[in-house]
Amino acid sequence: MKMKKSVYPFLNAAFHALHIAVIMFFLLGWLVPALLPWHLTLLLAMLGSWFILGHWLGTGYCPISDWHWKIKQHCGPGKPDGSYIHLVLQHITGKTLNSARVDKWVLVITLFLTLGSLLLNARNLFLAE
């Protein structure tokens, strides 16, 4: 089934909102104790996507980005170079940023957030006993 061209700008905006919501949840979800299990689950799912699915589809593979880039192809310039976070940071700063460097920082921050979420989840698990 082919979609009308007019739906692609809406889908592009919806995927921008989804991306930003997911990123904000990863950055701040650990602050809400009731959300900690979800925070850890989604972080581990994302890391699995990056490295397990990424083994076949390219390291750092994200299904949300994959779908978003397909939508962007219908809106104009198509798939941007680099990751979604790279795209957003370049848009915010107005500067050309090194994609590999951005990806390394994203990985470091993600691993730090995952370790923190693991520790907080473990603490809550032991305190509940």
Side-chain angles (χ1 to χ4, degrees):
M1 180 173 132
K2 237 180 176 178
M3 285 193 259
K4 292 183 181 180
K5 274 199 169 281
S6 61
V7 78
Y8 289 109
F10 168 76
L11 289 173
N12 185 43
F15 269 87
H16 277 298
L18 176 61
H19 260 121
I20 297 300
V22 168
I23 292 166
M24 295 309 294
F25 183 71
F26 286 145
L27 291 173
L28 303 172
W30 62 272
L31 293 169
V32 182
L35 296 178
L36 273 171
W38 289 105
H39 184 255
L40 180 59
T41 300
L42 290 175
L43 277 168
L44 293 174
M46 182 179 62
L47 287 169
S49 175
W50 284 0
F51 296 106
I52 297 170
L53 290 176
H55 178 72
W56 294 280
L57 301 169
T59 304
Y61 176 77
C62 173
I64 296 171
S65 294
D66 190 22
W67 299 327
H68 196 173
W69 298 159
K70 287 176 182 172
I71 290 164
K72 283 184 116 13
Q73 287 177 333
H74 293 279
C75 293
K79 181 184 182 300
D81 294 330
S83 66
Y84 182 78
I85 293 176
H86 178 251
L87 173 75
V88 169
L89 289 176
Q90 287 193 133
H91 182 74
I92 290 170
T93 64
K95 296 180 180 181
T96 300
L97 302 173
N98 181 296
S99 179
R101 183 175 290 149
V102 170
D103 290 348
K104 285 178 187 175
W105 275 106
V106 168
L107 178 60
V108 167
I109 292 167
T110 301
L111 292 174
F112 178 76
L113 288 168
T114 304
L115 177 61
S117 190
L118 274 167
L119 292 172
L120 289 171
N121 274 281
R123 182 199 68 184
N124 288 350
L125 184 65
F126 290 119
L127 288 177
E129 290 180 359

